[in-house]
Amino acid sequence: MPKKKNLKDSLSENDLQAMWEIKAHEGFEADEDGMFIPYEDSEGHLTIGYGHLVDEGEDYLDKMTPEQADELFVEDYIYHRNKASEMPGWDKATDTQKRGLINLAFNMGPNWYKTDKEAGRKGFPKFNAAVKKGDWNAAADELVDSKWYRQVGERGKDVVDLIRPEPPQRYVFRGGGLIRDAYGRNLI
């Protein structure tokens, strides 16, 4: 029987960095044995693994191993990355900005930026206009001036830093040791 292809093997270094950034914010719920268990997210939606929203018809009411959670996360990541790549302005984005756009799609859903009057979603029209012009600072400012930014805490700051054209220095070394993490937070 041929070995099943590992989806993670086809990901770029930028993808792996984006996945780390998303996992850092998504978190998970586990039982005393380290098995991932379903939980309600901040909006009350049933979720499992690293932020996988359980859709109607999916049966994730049981526990899953960390390996199963990772597999599901890779599938979710690829789906949201592909959806983010359909965004107007994607081709103008740097790799760092693309990580921010993927993070937004993962956090708010693949159509987060679109207006949908029937669903009652305003979208982010000013963000979209700024991205289409290549004005990433204005796009970042639109995120800061949003309900999403006020709801998500540190994630908002981190994603905005990814969207800005000149993100702040990510790593700071002093005396031969790393004193700040990938988001610029002090480690000591």
Side-chain angles (χ1 to χ4, degrees):
M1 175 187 263
K3 186 178 176 184
K4 184 179 173 185
K5 185 176 189 306
N6 185 347
L7 288 175
K8 207 169 185 179
D9 292 341
S10 65
L11 298 173
S12 70
E13 285 297 318
N14 199 54
D15 285 320
L16 297 175
Q17 179 67 32
M19 290 171 66
W20 178 87
E21 291 161 352
I22 292 167
K23 273 186 173 182
H25 289 292
E26 287 297 332
F28 59 89
E29 295 282 330
D31 67 10
E32 62 279 353
D33 297 322
M35 298 291 285
F36 284 64
I37 56 175
Y39 62 95
E40 287 188 359
D41 69 8
S42 62
E43 298 286 315
H45 302 291
L46 187 62
T47 307
I48 195 163
Y50 297 102
H52 176 81
L53 185 65
V54 179
D55 288 326
E56 198 171 309
E58 286 186 313
D59 186 20
Y60 290 117
L61 300 178
D62 265 346
K63 301 174 183 183
M64 70 172 45
T65 66
E67 293 78 21
Q68 290 168 319
D70 276 338
E71 265 183 47
L72 184 59
F73 177 69
V74 171
E75 290 173 17
D76 285 348
Y77 172 80
I78 290 170
Y79 171 77
H80 287 92
R81 181 201 58 200
N82 292 344
K83 288 306 221 177
S85 73
E86 296 171 6
M87 241 191 102
W90 174 266
D91 294 335
K92 295 178 184 177
T94 65
D95 282 349
T96 301
Q97 291 161 337
K98 287 176 181 178
R99 292 197 323 263
L101 296 173
I102 296 164
N103 200 313
L104 287 162
F106 200 96
N107 184 228
M108 291 194 281
N111 298 315
W112 69 273
Y113 62 93
K114 295 179 181 176
T115 300
D116 184 346
K117 290 179 184 171
E118 288 181 23
R121 188 177 61 239
K122 293 180 184 176
F124 286 74
K126 291 179 183 176
F127 175 91
N128 294 338
V131 167
K132 285 179 188 174
K133 286 188 224 172
D135 188 348
W136 293 94
N137 273 320
D141 291 343
E142 289 302 322
L143 291 174
V144 170
D145 191 30
S146 71
K147 181 179 175 184
W148 166 81
Y149 187 84
R150 293 185 296 281
Q151 288 177 329
V152 297
E154 285 297 315
R155 184 182 207 148
K157 295 173 191 171
D158 296 340
V159 170
V160 164
D161 283 349
L162 294 172
I163 295 296
R164 293 214 185 270
E166 294 182 27
Q169 185 175 353
R170 293 285 180 209
Y171 303 97
V172 177
F173 294 88
R174 183 178 299 146
L178 180 65
I179 62 166
R180 289 188 179 236
D181 69 5
Y183 288 116
R185 290 184 286 255
N186 289 332
L187 297 175
I188 56 172

